[in-house]
Amino acid sequence: MNKAIFLDRDGVLINNQHHYYIWESTQIEFIDGVFDNLKRLQQKGFQLYIVSNQGGISRGLYTKENILTIHEELIETFRKNQIIISDILFCPHHSKKEKCLCRKPKSLMIEKLIAKYNLNLQESTMIGDSESDMKAAAMAGVHGIKITPNQNMFPFISTILR
Ligand SMILES: [Mg+2]
Ligand SMILES: [Zn+2]
């Protein structure tokens, strides 16, 4: 069985202080230490996954294609830095527009990844910057680490790097 780190995208990998919604490459500003931290996690044997709420799609602010494109770019940028992102799932829905099972704090995105990639719950952790990330982690049965938004996650992940 594999062990995984589920990463929220905005506020954890990409700085969202200046843009609440991020859908084009010009808006991407990586948070300090992201590449080093993901490399460290990878070296500890974790597979890396991103799970992201993208309610801006439902709200008509940008399209699914915008997100697929920016995610391909993200995967490529990480790859150039020797980091493999195994998969990215996003929820295109918004609670004000419709009900769904995927939008965090619901746990469907994490559960799908667990099933598809045969991940070990006990050894896997969701790293997020919001309560909804932590609720999704708890509902899926994985550990949760809440970091300070848009800050280097290193002090928060030291326990799993030991
Ligand atoms: Mg976030
Ligand atoms: Zn959804």
Side-chain angles (χ1 to χ4, degrees):
M1 272 190 140
N2 302 307
K3 56 178 184 174
I5 300 292
F6 305 101
L7 297 146
D8 176 40
R9 197 195 74 176
D10 302 335
V12 172
L13 304 176
I14 301 176
N15 190 318
N16 66 350
Q17 274 173 310
H18 310 292
H19 309 275
Y20 186 73
Y21 288 108
I22 294 162
W23 71 91
E24 6 178 69
S25 24
T26 53
Q27 300 169 312
I28 296 181
E29 185 196 323
F30 288 102
I31 295 166
D32 279 351
V34 155
F35 296 107
D36 286 339
N37 291 328
L38 295 194
K39 250 182 254 177
R40 288 181 182 113
L41 291 166
Q42 202 169 249
Q43 281 159 4
K44 280 280 171 187
F46 290 102
Q47 295 182 348
L48 306 174
Y49 297 91
I50 298 173
V51 287
S52 180
N53 282 353
Q54 291 302 325
I57 295 171
S58 171
R59 298 186 62 197
L61 300 173
Y62 48 91
T63 65
K64 228 175 226 186
E65 286 65 38
N66 292 141
I67 292 301
L68 290 169
T69 303
I70 199 181
H71 286 177
E72 273 172 33
E73 289 169 8
L74 270 183
I75 285 176
E76 184 57 18
T77 304
F78 282 120
R79 197 190 58 76
K80 283 183 182 151
N81 286 275
Q82 293 83 49
I83 293 159
I84 306 299
I85 302 296
S86 298
D87 207 345
I88 306 182
L89 293 190
F90 61 93
C91 161
H93 310 111
H94 196 282
S95 44
K96 290 194 178 100
K97 297 271 182 181
E98 69 253 289
K99 283 191 174 147
C100 76
L101 296 171
C102 37
R103 186 177 167 84
K104 294 175 286 182
K106 292 194 174 148
S107 53
L108 186 63
M109 290 192 285
I110 299 175
E111 286 171 31
K112 273 186 179 172
L113 292 170
I114 288 169
K116 184 170 179 189
Y117 297 99
N118 191 29
L119 304 173
N120 183 331
L121 295 177
Q122 284 79 30
E123 288 192 283
S124 298
T125 299
M126 166 90 211
I127 300 174
D129 66 332
S130 73
E131 241 352 275
S132 69
D133 295 320
M134 297 305 102
K135 283 183 185 159
M139 216 191 283
V142 301
H143 304 282
I145 293 180
K146 188 161 172 254
I147 68 162
T148 305
N150 301 310
Q151 283 192 22
N152 193 323
M153 69 172 80
F154 185 68
F156 299 93
I157 60 171
S158 54
T159 48
I160 39 179
L161 290 178
R162 259 198 232 106

